[in-house]
Amino acid sequence: MPAILKNWDIMRMLRMGMGLWLIYSAFADHQPLLGLMGGLFALQAALNVGCCGANGCASPNYRQSKTPLHEETVYEEIK
């Protein structure tokens, strides 16, 4: 079975529906830029990729630098 027919979740179906609707609207209204946008959505759905593929929008769970998160505060007594 081809990969294009597997794993159709709600977001993938939504992207394909939106893409096909935008392509139809582009032809009906003679709007080529709208057709490009619809083609982008349809292509994302067909290839099963999104704007944030492979956790591209996720922030890392660990800190990259070696500096401590909190430095110890030193208080000085004033008389």
Side-chain angles (χ1 to χ4, degrees):
M1 181 176 250
I4 198 168
L5 300 176
K6 294 181 183 177
N7 300 327
W8 279 86
D9 58 350
I10 189 73
M11 283 306 295
R12 193 172 177 189
M13 287 186 274
L14 182 66
R15 268 190 240 120
M16 182 59 85
M18 219 172 13
L20 294 176
W21 177 69
L22 287 172
I23 291 171
Y24 169 76
S25 294
F27 279 115
D29 297 336
H30 303 287
Q31 296 288 329
L33 291 178
L34 191 63
L36 288 174
M37 195 167 82
L40 176 68
F41 280 117
L43 185 66
Q44 282 181 344
L47 298 176
N48 198 17
V49 295
C51 297
C52 297
N55 290 329
C57 291
S59 60
N61 292 333
Y62 57 90
R63 188 175 170 108
Q64 298 272 340
S65 67
K66 299 291 181 183
T67 59
L69 291 175
H70 301 286
E71 294 181 15
E72 190 172 327
T73 305
V74 180
Y75 294 100
E76 204 175 295
E77 189 175 329
I78 301 175
K79 294 184 179 187

